[in-house]
Amino acid sequence: MKLFVFDLDFTLWDAGGTWCDATNPPYYWSKGALLDQSNSEIALYPDVIPVLEELKKNKRKIAAASRTFEPSWAQDLLHLFDIDKYFDLKEIYPSSKIQHFSKIKNHFGIDYSDMVFFDDEHRNIHEVGKLGVEAVFVDDGLRREHVFRYLK
């Protein structure tokens, strides 16, 4: 695969058991934990940084596709976790994943069949899969084994 696309909430991070647009920013670091103003912890899943680093090492393109209603909050989290640097494109705004993928395809000029998408919602997997994208359901956070099989 040439392009790896990731949803954010419950795929790359757990925002205290909810979506990032249901948190209470501004966010802050305390004793190694990223918290919101309600003291709820937002945490990256453990394999996220190693996966992103391996994809970059293998010269793969990386995009984010999120339907969050608070795009600036998602951007803040990408920055605070220091993972925004890995993304070649970020489609983060309330819309359908179909629109996100249309823009991703146009930006990179890569066929849907050369993309793989990771998400925790079955409806998104189904919708994006119909485009011809390899859509992978992620349960309980992104793991190495979800991604590395597509590096070949």
Side-chain angles (χ1 to χ4, degrees), residues 37-68:
Q37 294 301 302
S38 301
N39 292 319
S40 292
E41 183 176 356
I42 299 115
L44 276 181
Y45 290 108
D47 286 354
V48 168
I49 290 176
V51 161
L52 295 174
E53 287 177 344
E54 187 68 19
L55 291 175
K56 279 300 169 192
K57 188 174 103 180
N58 283 275
K59 300 187 181 350
R60 296 308 200 278
K61 298 292 183 194
I62 303 173
S66 173
R67 297 181 304 122
T68 184

Side-chain angles (χ1 to χ4, degrees), residues 95-130:
S95 181
S96 78
K97 295 285 183 174
I98 298 297
Q99 183 175 354
H100 290 147
F101 273 83
S102 176
K103 289 187 175 186
I104 290 168
K105 183 179 187 289
N106 289 337
H107 177 85
F108 290 107
I110 294 175
D111 291 335
Y112 290 132
S113 60
D114 287 325
M115 300 180 194
V116 60
F117 172 56
F118 303 89
D119 196 300
D120 68 299
E121 291 188 47
H122 288 289
R123 65 180 170 156
N124 294 332
I125 295 297
H126 181 70
E127 184 178 61
V128 172
K130 282 202 238 175

Side-chain angles (χ1 to χ4, degrees), residues 7-21:
D7 176 51
L8 301 177
D9 290 314
F10 297 110
T11 301
L12 299 188
W13 61 60
D14 181 342
T18 189
W19 301 274
C20 73
D21 57 16

